[in-house]
């Protein structure tokens, strides 16, 4: 795991922050873990991300900031999950 900071929005509650960090962690798992990420868990967390950040512009900004600091693309993981019938996804 690399050493970098997660993008944080000041108006997130503590509960929302925990949910967002979980999404960041699951995204990292899709790239780093040898067995990838559980598809249904990622989708559930991504849906929470969209509830916490309903603005498409804000969603794109958060995804872009995370990608710029980590090299991991949240939206790419979500998109690839939509194209698979597997229970786990690993990005090579």
């Amino acid at each position: 795991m690399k050493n970098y900071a997660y993008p944080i929005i000041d108006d997130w509650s503590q509960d929302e922050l925990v949910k967002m960090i979980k999404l960041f962690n699951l995204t990292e798992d899709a790239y780093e873990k040898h067995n990838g990420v559980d598809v249904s868990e990622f989708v559930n967390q991504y849906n929470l991300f969209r509830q916490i950040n309903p603005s498409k512009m804000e969603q794109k900004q958060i995804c872009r900031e995370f990608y710029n600091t980590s090299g991991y693309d949240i939206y790419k993981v979500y998109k690839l999950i939509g194209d698979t019938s597997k229970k786990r996804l690993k990005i090579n």
Side-chain angles (χ1 to χ4, degrees), residues 17-61:
L17 180 60
V18 168
K19 290 174 181 172
M20 289 301 303
I21 289 173
K22 181 159 176 116
L23 176 67
F24 299 143
N25 291 157
L26 289 171
T27 303
E28 293 165 342
D29 290 350
Y31 285 88
E32 296 177 359
K33 283 197 169 182
H34 75 280
N35 62 344
V37 67
D38 180 272
V39 166
S40 62
E41 185 178 9
F42 187 91
V43 169
N44 289 338
Q45 211 60 38
Y46 190 84
N47 288 334
L48 290 172
F49 161 66
R50 294 192 316 195
Q51 289 174 9
I52 294 167
N53 308 285
S55 162
K56 291 277 189 191
M57 187 173 77
E58 191 171 71
Q59 291 172 19
K60 288 178 182 182
Q61 177 188 355

Side-chain angles (χ1 to χ4, degrees):
M1 184 183 290
K2 300 174 188 175
N3 187 16
Y4 49 84
Y6 294 138
I8 306 241
I9 305 297
D10 290 337
D11 63 350
W12 286 341
S13 69
Q14 185 169 352
D15 182 55
E16 291 171 334
L17 180 60
V18 168
K19 290 174 181 172
M20 289 301 303
I21 289 173
K22 181 159 176 116
L23 176 67
F24 299 143
N25 291 157
L26 289 171
T27 303
E28 293 165 342
D29 290 350
Y31 285 88
E32 296 177 359
K33 283 197 169 182
H34 75 280
N35 62 344
V37 67
D38 180 272
V39 166
S40 62
E41 185 178 9
F42 187 91
V43 169
N44 289 338
Q45 211 60 38
Y46 190 84
N47 288 334
L48 290 172
F49 161 66
R50 294 192 316 195
Q51 289 174 9
I52 294 167
N53 308 285
S55 162
K56 291 277 189 191
M57 187 173 77
E58 191 171 71
Q59 291 172 19
K60 288 178 182 182
Q61 177 188 355
I62 292 165
C63 288
R64 185 173 39 254
E65 284 181 39
F66 184 66
Y67 177 77
N68 288 340
T69 59
S70 70
Y72 301 143
D73 191 332
I74 295 169
Y75 185 73
K76 178 180 179 181
V77 174
Y78 181 72
K79 192 75 172 144
L80 289 172
I81 281 175
D83 296 336
T84 187
S85 58
K86 297 179 182 178
K87 293 186 178 196
R88 298 196 71 79
L89 175 73
K90 168 72 175 138
I91 296 182
N92 298 321

